[in-house]
Structure formats: C-alpha cells, structure tokens
Amino acid sequence: AHGRDNQLTVYYPSAGNEIISIYGLDGRKIFEELVAFNGKTVIPVSLENNQLYILKIDNQMVKFTMQ
C-alpha cells in the first residue's frame, strides 16, 4: 500500500470484494469500506501526510504513511 495526494493505492491478490479498514496508531478506526479488487484498488481518502497508519484487509495488517 502507498498513499499520495489523498489517494491510497492498495495491492491485494483478490478478484472480489474486501472490507478495508484504516486505523490510527491510537487504535481509532478512521476509514472502513467494502471495495472491489482486481489485484489493486485506489481509495480516495484524506489522511495527514507523514503520519503512520495501519491498513487491515481480511486478517492481514500493514503499516503505511501518506506522502
């Protein structure tokens, strides 16, 4: 996952719908949406630059920052 200009690009090996959740490091849920994947998806989301966030898809989590 990488974010830039209020867009988060997420690469995930799925060709179906998945729930994406974004959390702050304090554990607060910032975003959650059911999105369609075809290997990747782009989500319009407004997040602070240079902050660390946690992206959760299914039972997998990854940290990312917005640029």
Side-chain angles (χ1 to χ4, degrees):
H2 68 272
R4 176 177 225 151
D5 300 326
N6 293 330
Q7 291 187 335
L8 179 64
T9 303
V10 180
Y11 299 92
Y12 190 71
S14 174
N17 296 328
E18 299 285 346
I19 294 176
I20 290 182
S21 303
I22 298 173
Y23 297 87
L25 288 183
D26 59 1
R28 182 177 53 94
K29 187 184 295 181
I30 299 169
F31 176 88
E32 185 171 78
E33 189 171 299
L34 181 67
V35 298
F37 275 94
N38 190 13
K40 79 171 187 176
T41 192
V42 177
I43 304 165
V45 64
S46 181
L47 299 171
E48 297 283 330
N49 288 344
N50 302 316
Q51 296 286 328
L52 194 57
Y53 297 96
I54 299 169
L55 172 71
K56 181 179 178 190
I57 304 172
D58 199 13
N59 287 325
Q60 299 180 37
M61 289 187 266
V62 65
K63 295 177 184 172
F64 72 94
T65 59
M66 295 295 285
Q67 300 295 319

